[in-house]
Amino acid sequence: MVTEPQRILVIDDEPQIRRFLRISLVSQGFVVHEAQSGGEGLSLALEELPDLVLLDLGLPDMDGQEVLNRLRARSQVPVIVVSVRGQETEKVRALDRGANDYVTKPFGIQELLARIRALLRHRDESPLSLEGGCYRRGGLVIDLGARRLWHHATAVHLTPKEYAVLERLCRHAGRVVTQTQLLREVWGPSHVEDSHYLRIVISKLRHKLGDDPGAPALLQTEAGIGYRLLVERDDSAAMDNDTENFS
């Protein structure tokens, strides 16, 4: 069965960056569309319906954050911000506004390609509900439907707050979820500044999941921004019925 090549829209005002990305992406089998301004990029996004967008923030006609706002009002296409702006505030703003990932220039093309492939793998998965979804990595198995967790075949007990944080990270597996989003959704809008609550829960989760905080393989910290859970969806995993529920 022949499948159509995936299309990537590059929105960047620097010709040399666009050329570098075009050559690299075409060599991997992607079809590339290019825009040198925010307005042109928004038009192409609606006309070409790309599978993923690479978005610079420093555009000549409008700020990339505004492009992201307008794009998100019409589409849920995966967006990776690729920008020279490395400040945490810029990263948090972009992720809170709907960017799926953020890469700072200068960047390694292999890392960028890996992030593109990861997002495209998840692109066709529908958002999970509380009733379904099984994820695994190594000896870890998370069953959202049954609200159960195993680590090397041993049931792990989580508190309600620990489960709530893990569940939200799991629903965005592979993506950065900002501290603000986690605090708002788990503790409520009045606690968005109480980041110490979240740090305590993440520390306890790492301990229970056997994740080394010095070299985490499951719960990655994006300093000053949020957290990323590295697990994969596995709908075929079989669960034992004698495992305890979360409480």
Side-chain angles (χ1 to χ4, degrees), residues 2 52 59 116 120 125 157 218 237:
V2 179
L52 184 140
L59 299 170
I116 289 171
L120 290 175
E125 292 183 0
H157 172 80
L218 292 170

Short mmCIF file of all heavy atoms in Angstrom, two decimals, residues 2 52 59 116 120 125 157 218 237:
data_model
loop_
_atom_site.label_atom_id
_atom_site.label_comp_id
_atom_site.label_asym_id
_atom_site.label_seq_id
_atom_site.Cartn_x
_atom_site.Cartn_y
_atom_site.Cartn_z
N VAL A 2 0.64 2.09 -0.99
CA VAL A 2 1.43 3.33 -1.10
C VAL A 2 0.78 4.42 -0.27
O VAL A 2 -0.41 4.68 -0.37
CB VAL A 2 1.53 3.77 -2.57
CG1 VAL A 2 2.32 5.07 -2.67
CG2 VAL A 2 2.17 2.68 -3.41
N LEU A 52 2.39 18.94 9.93
CA LEU A 52 3.14 19.53 11.04
C LEU A 52 3.67 20.88 10.60
O LEU A 52 3.95 21.09 9.41
CB LEU A 52 4.29 18.60 11.46
CG LEU A 52 5.12 19.02 12.68
CD1 LEU A 52 5.46 17.79 13.54
CD2 LEU A 52 6.42 19.71 12.24
N LEU A 59 9.10 36.89 13.18
CA LEU A 59 8.66 37.07 11.80
C LEU A 59 8.47 38.55 11.48
O LEU A 59 8.22 39.36 12.39
CB LEU A 59 7.35 36.31 11.57
CG LEU A 59 7.46 34.79 11.80
CD1 LEU A 59 6.08 34.14 11.80
CD2 LEU A 59 8.35 34.17 10.74
N ILE A 116 10.10 15.65 15.40
CA ILE A 116 9.08 15.64 14.35
C ILE A 116 8.46 14.26 14.24
O ILE A 116 7.23 14.10 14.21
CB ILE A 116 9.69 16.07 13.01
CG1 ILE A 116 10.02 17.57 13.03
CG2 ILE A 116 8.74 15.75 11.85
CD1 ILE A 116 10.82 18.03 11.82
N LEU A 120 4.50 13.21 14.90
CA LEU A 120 3.70 12.64 13.83
C LEU A 120 3.18 11.26 14.19
O LEU A 120 2.10 10.87 13.74
CB LEU A 120 4.52 12.57 12.54
CG LEU A 120 4.83 13.92 11.89
CD1 LEU A 120 5.76 13.76 10.69
CD2 LEU A 120 3.54 14.62 11.47
N GLU A 125 -3.66 9.81 16.80
CA GLU A 125 -4.32 9.25 17.97
C GLU A 125 -5.34 10.25 18.49
O GLU A 125 -5.06 11.41 18.71
CB GLU A 125 -3.31 8.95 19.08
CG GLU A 125 -2.38 7.80 18.73
CD GLU A 125 -1.45 7.47 19.88
OE1 GLU A 125 -1.55 8.14 20.92
OE2 GLU A 125 -0.63 6.56 19.73
N HIS A 157 0.83 1.86 44.31
CA HIS A 157 -0.25 2.71 44.83
C HIS A 157 0.12 4.17 44.66
O HIS A 157 1.22 4.60 45.01
CB HIS A 157 -0.48 2.41 46.31
CG HIS A 157 -1.43 3.39 46.95
ND1 HIS A 157 -2.79 3.30 46.81
CD2 HIS A 157 -1.19 4.49 47.71
CE1 HIS A 157 -3.36 4.29 47.46
NE2 HIS A 157 -2.41 5.03 48.02
N LEU A 218 11.85 8.44 32.49
CA LEU A 218 10.40 8.50 32.37
C LEU A 218 9.87 9.92 32.47
O LEU A 218 9.18 10.40 31.58
CB LEU A 218 9.74 7.63 33.45
CG LEU A 218 9.93 6.13 33.33
CD1 LEU A 218 9.43 5.44 34.60
CD2 LEU A 218 9.22 5.59 32.12
N ALA A 237 -1.98 -4.26 25.61
CA ALA A 237 -1.43 -4.77 26.87
C ALA A 237 -2.53 -5.43 27.68
O ALA A 237 -3.63 -4.92 27.84
CB ALA A 237 -0.79 -3.64 27.66
#
